[in-house]
Structures are given as structure tokens and as C-alpha cells.
Amino acid sequence: MQMQKLYLLVPLAPLIGAMIAGLLCRVIPRWVAHTATITGVAVAFIASVLIFQDVQAGNTFNGPVYTWLTSGDYKFEVGFMIDTLTTTMMLVVTFVSLMVHIYTIGYMQEDPGYNRFFSYISLFTFSMLMLVMSNNFMQLFFGWEAVGLVSYLLIGFWYTRPTAIFANMKAFLVNRVGDFGFILGIGLILTYFGTLDYVEVFKKAPEFANTMYPLMGEGSAVSLMTVTCICLFIGAMGKSAQVPLHVWLPDSMEGPTPISALIHAATMVTAGIFMVSRMSPLFELSTTALSFVIVIGAITALFMGFLGIIQNDIKRVVAYSTLSQLGYMTVALGASAYSVAIFHLMTHAFFKALLFLAAGSVIIGMHHDQDIRNMGGLRKYMPITWITSLIGSLALIGTPFLAGFYSKDSIIEAVKFSNIPGSGFAYFAVMAGVFVTAFYSFRMYFLVFHGEERFGKGDHHDHHGDHDDEEASHDHHHGLAPGQKPHETPWVVTLPLVLLAIPSVAIGFIGIGPMVAGDYFKGVIYVDNAAHPALATFLEHFHGAVAMGLHAFSTPPFYLALAGVALSWFFYMKRPDIPAAIQRRFSAIHTLFENKYYFDKINEFVFAGGARALGKGFWRGGDVAIIDGLIVNGSAKLVGWFATVIRFFQTGYVYHYAFTMIIGVFVLMTLWINRA
């Protein structure tokens, strides 16, 4: 009973903090708002640690907290499933959220919406915790939608800016497309399984392994599990930003940097990865669904990485890195290496949060200039930001013995041994992605921290129209004035960087043994090793974290990453004329990348334009022509015409009425006689 109270405390503590900061935002001072929310998230983190220790001791929990609704045989409950997968997500979410909360004190200190922002991020944490702790699909969907709603508020936090309005609307609408597929999958589960409880569904799943679903009628039956899993994964495509539902994520940079870190690193975008891993007993029953997952993930991993090469906004480089790394996680899911996907989710949360917060620190130091072409030489002015950025970048590209290496290389190896259709293309994509990631990551690193100092000059880049992407400052001035120098940020900004740098170095080495090679997820994640042997084959070649790190120096991914770093150094430190020449020579490809493969334009003209045209057609044809024109106005005209005819008989003379009655009787008698 004591532990159950602790379970409740984890999501409720951030919720209480959010309510204090939000409902009283106009009357309480700033220190009360950030103290209440930080305390709430800190309590949630400490409780998560205690729960994690309890689960490691062998104690798990699965049960309802209360029944919300009963309809016939269906029960809709709020409940918790506490196991190793849940506690891993709880620790990641609460720790990263705590770092972001502390960081926000320094980052948002000049913003008038300070209290409101703290309320939003704390509410965001509550929503994510309700999602990961759920033991049924109803609560999962509640958390799913709540996270989407709060992200809408956060992306559009600076709601007076047209770009922010556009960005949050895009995020909201694209996620609703994914959620439509998600709720269809949940509906299929409720229809066929008769329950929304995870354990019950997983128990009954093998019974439906060969059940066919009439997709387009009786003649087009397909596997029920395939349809269900693909529908569920479409939800994950929206939340975890997979092609073609990825378009909202780069635009989410319109929100302040702290929420960029929270959305990209530890919460919203990882919801889809977590959900598919939780649903592993279902996905293992459909190789077709796994093939769909692995191909989508491979496309995202490679082609979104290409877009990172041409970005000049420091936050957008990191954003496209997130898209690419989410593709890696999705590829791992498609290869049935669910534990590896969660492992990469965890390592990625730390080093990606580190990179985002370091980018925010640079933005503060550069007086809100985000263009990496206006930086250079920041290493000596911002030493803490520099060293933590370097650690984050090295972890991202998969440097041996750092966190990202163990999870990223495990994905590559699992895909290599996969027999899922599409795994060959996926292997090529993740291998090519290693080089691409190293190139664009260190392009940003070298341009920001090394080379000549390009700030405080009159000829700085004007951002070519993308200055609207910059974050708002209280004085609306961007960039350092001539003679000004960057400065290291306050301790509330640098402390989270240091604390995030520690797991970015060590968590991979510590975690790979139990999480991937051990029985950490035993009984939680299910893999059919006979049908999908990729992970089992990889583990046959695994001989410990040290051996894996040493072996990496003789593997292709290491040399691809090294080549990417070396080429970026040569291009941007030694011969910056070469990238400019390549851009001129291959201007068509650069234009393609600059327009993000024209996904936005296709969405705008085909889908949004088609929807508007359809709506206009329904309005003019249905509302104006049929409802107003034919039914309302038409009926009025008919009544008017009928009244005009009848008026001739309404004279007021009795003999006219008698004559009309005689005619009427004559007509009726004639009809009656003819009928007889």
C-alpha cells in the first residue's frame, strides 16, 4: 500500500506544481512559481528512484487506481503498470525534466510569461508520466493526447508571433493525423479483444494471430494483427515524427529552447518508441507490420540527416539530428530489437537534452543570435558550454565508450542480422547515417566553437529571411554589437549541462549489459527469437561493454564517423570555399534540401488545399445550393407558389366555396368509381 501511494505521487507532484504556477500565475512572484514546479518534479524524480530500486528487488505492480466508467462488459480504468520498462521511462522523463526546470530559471528570466512557462512544462511532465505509467489503452490515449495538447501550448508559447502560431497549428494538425490511426488501432483491439487492459490483450493476442480482417470487404481480407499494428504505429509516426508525419518537429523550434529539449529529448517524441516496445507481443505476430516499421525508420534516419547538413540555425541542426536518431530507434523496433530501441531512447535523452541546452546557452551568450555563421571561437569565452557540447556531439556520433556508441552500434548490428523484409535497405541507411550525422554535428561544433571570431561585426549574416525563427528577447535585439564579446552563462544554465554530461559519458557503458544482453526486460518485452533472430544473433557476438568498445576501432561505423568529423573539419576550418563551390555546383540538390523535400508544399497544396477545396465544395454545393437554396429557400418558394394558387379560391363568397366543394366531390367520386 505504501508503494502504491508512491506511484500516485510521481505524476501528481508535477501536476500540483503546475496548478500552483498556472492558476496563480498573475498573483505569485516568480520564485514561488519555479520553486513549486521544481519541487514537484524533484519529488517525482526521487520517488521514481525509490520505485526503480523496489522493482529491481523483484517487486512489480499492475492494477487499477479507480474505475472511471463501466459500459456493459467494458471497463475504463485509470491504473498503473510498474515494471522495468516503466521505471526506465520514469527516471528518464523526471531527470531530464528536472534539469530543464532548473535551466529555465536562467533562460526565461527576462520573459514576461515566466510563471506560465513553468506551469506548462510541469503539466507536460505530468502528461508524459501518465502515458508511460498506464496499464491500459484508455489511459495511454489520455496521456498521448494530453502531451499533444501541452506541446501545442508550448510550441506556440510566444503566441503573438505568426511563425509560432503556424508552428503550433502544424504540430497539432499533423499529430491529429497520427492520432486518427492510433485510435483506429485501439478501436480494433476493443472490438476483437473486448478489453483495453494491456495484460489481457497480450494474453489473448496469439488467439488472433491468424484472424483475417475484411479491410475493403470480404474479398480483401488481411491479417487483423497487421492492420492493428500498422494503425498503432501510425500514431507513433505522428508523435515520434517519422516520414511523412515528421514535418512538425523542426518547426517546434519556435518554442523556447527548454521546451525544445523537453519535447525532442525525453518526452513527446519518445512516446511512440515506448508504445511500440510496450506492444511488442502484438508486433511480433506480424512480420508485415515490422517490415513497414523498419522501412519508415530507415527513410527517416537517412533522409532527415541530409537536411541537417544545410541548416544554419543552431537549434535546427540539433532538431534534424533528433529526427535522424528517432529513425534509428524505429529501425531497431522494426528489427525486433525493442530493448535496443529503449536503450537508445535512454542514452539519446541525455546527450540530446545536453545538446539542446548547450545550444540555448550559446544563444544566451550570443545575445539571442542563433545563426552559426555569426559565431566562431566561442571556446575561450564559454568553456563549460564548449566542453559539454563536445561531449554531447561525441556521444551523438557514436564515439567508442560514450553513451551513444553502445546504443547506436547495437542498432546497426541488430539490423545487420535482421531477416525482416526491408532490413537490407535499413542497414545501408543506418550505416550512411553514421557518416552524415558526424558531418553535420561537427560542422556545427567547429563553426560555433573554433575558427575565426565572426561575431560583433557589421557584415553578419541576415539569416536570409529566417530571422523569425530566432527566439524573442526582451529588447528585440539579436546578436552582439561591435566590440561585444560572448560570455559564459549563469550557474542555473551550466549546472544542468554538467549533470547531463555525466550520463552522456557513462550510461551506455553501465546499461548495455543488463538492458540489452541481460534479463532487465525479461517478462516485459517479448521477442519471438525463432521468427526474428536479429537480437539473439547479435548477442552471440557480444562479449561485454569493454570488448565491444575496443572492437569498435576496427569496425566500419567508427571509420565512417571519423571520416565525417575529418571532412567537416577540412571543409569548414581549412577550405570553407569548397562547401560554397559544392553548393553552387549542386544548387538543385541544395534547393531540394532547403525546401525539405517539398513535404511542406505538398501538404499545403495537396492535403490542406484539397481539404479547403472539399470544404468549399460542401459549403457551396451542400450548404448554399442544397440546404439553403433547395430545401430552405426552395420550400419557401413552393409554399409561396401554392399560396398564390390557393388565393384564387379564397374570395370570401359562400357560393365560390360551395362550387369548389362540388368540384372536389366530383373529382373524388370519379377517382373512386375508376378505382372500383
Side-chain angles (χ1 to χ4, degrees):
M1 191 64 180
Q2 194 68 30
M3 289 305 299
Q4 291 183 34
K5 290 179 180 177
L6 210 56
Y7 302 154
L8 278 169
L9 185 62
V10 174
L12 290 181
L15 178 62
I16 293 167
M19 291 172 68
I20 294 171
L23 298 177
L24 305 175
C25 66
R26 295 184 183 276
V27 295
I28 59 175
R30 291 185 167 200
W31 70 267
V32 174
H34 72 235
T35 301
T37 51
I38 291 173
T39 302
V41 177
V43 167
F45 173 65
I46 294 166
S48 297
V49 172
L50 296 174
I51 294 167
F52 172 76
Q53 291 173 341
D54 187 59
V55 170
Q56 290 300 105
N59 302 311
T60 58
F61 176 81
N62 177 38
V65 175
Y66 71 90
T67 301
W68 177 59
L69 176 68
T70 301
S71 177
D73 296 329
Y74 301 132
K75 280 188 176 181
F76 300 91
E77 298 174 329
V78 175
F80 295 144
M81 176 180 279
I82 307 298
D83 53 24
T84 50
L85 179 58
T86 305
T87 53
T88 301
M89 293 298 298
M90 287 162 62
L91 287 172
V92 169
V93 170
T94 53
F95 179 74
V96 174
S97 179
L98 180 59
M99 296 299 102
V100 168
H101 274 72
I102 296 169
Y103 178 93
T104 299
I105 296 173
Y107 196 88
M108 300 294 287
Q109 62 180 338
E110 297 173 348
D111 197 282
Y114 187 90
N115 291 3
R116 178 166 60 94
F117 188 80
F118 270 99
S119 174
Y120 286 173
I121 57 176
S122 203
L123 188 61
F124 195 90
T125 308
F126 158 76
S127 304
M128 190 67 195
L129 288 168
M130 288 298 289
L131 189 158
V132 300
M133 295 174 71
S134 63
N135 75 336
N136 61 84
F137 285 92
M138 188 216 71
Q139 188 177 326
L140 175 72
F141 189 73
F142 162 77
W144 201 265
E145 294 302 303
V147 167
L149 172 63
V150 186
S151 73
Y152 169 82
L153 297 172
L154 283 162
I155 294 167
F157 180 77
W158 288 311
Y159 53 83
T160 57
R161 296 163 61 190
T163 49
I165 297 168
F166 183 78
N168 70 359
M169 286 300 294
K170 183 191 279 191
F172 191 78
L173 292 172
V174 172
N175 273 279
R176 296 298 71 75
V177 173
D179 295 351
F180 180 70
F182 188 54
I183 202 166
L184 284 178
I186 294 174
L188 284 170
I189 287 171
L190 184 61
T191 303
Y192 281 87
F193 292 77
T195 180
L196 292 175
D197 184 83
Y198 290 162
V199 174
E200 293 297 316
V201 170
F202 298 158
K203 195 181 295 180
K204 292 181 180 180
E207 300 173 17
F208 296 94
N210 299 316
T211 302
M212 304 305 286
Y213 178 76
L215 190 63
M216 304 290 289
E218 291 298 328
S220 60
V222 295
S223 168
L224 171 67
M225 297 314 302
T226 296
V227 175
T228 303
C229 290
I230 288 177
C231 284
L232 291 173
F233 181 68
I234 289 171
M237 286 169 66
K239 279 289 180 288
S240 293
Q242 299 296 293
V243 172
L245 301 182
H246 68 285
V247 293
W248 68 270
L249 195 59
D251 289 78
S252 69
M253 297 298 96
E254 284 296 327
T257 293
I259 196 53
S260 302
L262 207 53
I263 286 177
H264 284 250
T267 53
M268 187 172 170
V269 294
T270 60
I273 308 301
F274 162 79
M275 184 272 293
V276 175
S277 300
R278 177 65 81 191
M279 304 303 143
S280 59
L282 303 182
F283 279 83
E284 284 301 287
L285 296 173
S286 175
T287 300
T288 305
L290 290 174
S291 181
F292 180 75
V293 171
I294 201 170
V295 170
I296 292 291
I299 294 170
T300 306
L302 181 59
F303 289 94
M304 294 302 107
F306 285 145
L307 299 185
I309 297 172
I310 66 156
Q311 301 301 317
N312 294 313
D313 184 303
I314 189 169
K315 286 207 302 176
R316 287 184 180 268
V317 178
V318 188
Y320 280 103
S321 161
T322 302
L323 279 170
S324 182
Q325 296 308 304
L326 285 166
Y328 273 83
M329 297 175 208
T330 305
V331 165
L333 296 173
S336 287
Y338 307 98
S339 58
V340 178
I342 295 296
F343 184 45
H344 193 51
L345 182 158
M346 179 185 71
T347 61
H348 173 264
F350 297 119
F351 64 71
K352 187 53 55 72
L354 172 60
L355 285 170
F356 265 114
L357 298 189
S361 180
V362 169
I363 292 169
I364 296 171
M366 288 294 299
H367 210 277
H368 296 273
D369 187 352
Q370 296 179 200
D371 197 316
I372 59 178
R373 295 168 297 181
N374 298 334
M375 301 177 189
L378 295 190
R379 179 169 62 98
K380 67 179 180 182
Y381 300 104
M382 307 179 72
I384 300 174
T385 304
W386 162 65
I387 194 66
T388 51
S389 293
L390 179 59
I391 291 170
S393 300
L394 290 171
L396 171 63
I397 70 170
T399 306
F401 296 104
L402 296 189
F405 157 74
Y406 288 102
S407 54
K408 200 170 180 179
D409 269 41
S410 297
I411 293 172
I412 294 170
E413 290 299 305
V415 175
K416 179 182 176 182
F417 297 119
S418 176
N419 61 352
I420 301 290
S423 57
F425 167 66
Y427 182 65
F428 164 76
V430 294
M431 287 291 281
V434 172
F435 172 81
V436 174
T437 302
F439 182 80
Y440 69 68
S441 298
F442 274 82
R443 169 183 176 265
M444 178 184 74
Y445 169 77
F446 288 130
L447 286 175
V448 171
F449 294 105
H450 294 273
E452 66 168 314
E453 299 176 0
R454 296 179 296 277
F455 47 81
K457 297 180 180 180
D459 59 343
H460 68 280
H461 288 271
D462 62 2
H463 308 274
H464 299 287
D466 59 296
H467 57 276
D468 286 336
D469 296 334
E470 297 173 359
E471 302 200 345
S473 61
H474 70 295
D475 60 0
H476 306 289
H477 172 70
H478 298 287
L480 297 168
Q484 270 190 307
K485 300 294 183 184
H487 55 86
E488 188 61 273
T489 44
W491 72 268
V492 288
V493 173
T494 55
L495 178 64
L497 296 181
V498 174
L499 293 177
L500 284 166
I502 296 168
S504 298
V505 173
I507 198 71
F509 185 89
I510 297 168
I512 188 166
M515 292 183 72
V516 177
D519 56 0
Y520 184 82
F521 291 120
K522 187 178 180 181
V524 179
I525 290 174
Y526 172 72
V527 180
D528 185 353
N529 288 319
H532 310 130
L535 184 59
T537 310
F538 161 62
L539 293 178
E540 290 174 6
H541 297 80
F542 179 75
H543 303 291
V546 175
M548 184 176 178
L550 293 172
H551 176 68
F553 292 102
S554 61
T555 59
F558 173 76
Y559 290 102
L560 284 168
L562 187 63
V565 173
L567 190 65
S568 66
W569 173 82
F570 180 71
F571 274 9
Y572 296 99
M573 292 291 98
K574 293 296 180 183
R575 294 290 303 278
D577 59 301
I578 295 178
I582 292 173
Q583 181 179 332
R584 288 192 301 271
R585 179 69 177 83
F586 298 98
S587 58
I589 296 174
H590 186 271
T591 304
L592 180 68
F593 288 171
E594 209 166 38
N595 287 279
K596 297 172 281 189
Y597 305 115
Y598 295 96
F599 272 106
D600 282 336
K601 284 186 169 54
I602 292 169
N603 286 333
E604 186 176 341
F605 289 106
V606 177
F607 294 104
R612 286 196 300 270
L614 189 65
K616 195 173 183 180
F618 279 129
W619 164 57
R620 286 188 171 174
D623 192 25
V624 176
I626 296 175
I627 296 173
D628 285 346
L630 185 61
I631 298 175
V632 177
N633 297 331
S635 61
K637 288 178 180 177
L638 180 64
V639 170
W641 175 82
F642 188 71
T644 306
V645 174
I646 297 296
R647 192 180 298 124
F648 289 109
F649 301 98
Q650 299 292 328
T651 61
Y653 296 108
V654 175
Y655 65 88
H656 281 172
Y657 297 145
F659 182 69
T660 303
M661 287 176 65
I662 291 168
I663 292 174
V665 170
F666 175 76
V667 171
L668 287 172
M669 291 296 292
T670 303
L671 292 172
W672 181 73
I673 292 169
N674 287 336
R675 189 176 176 184

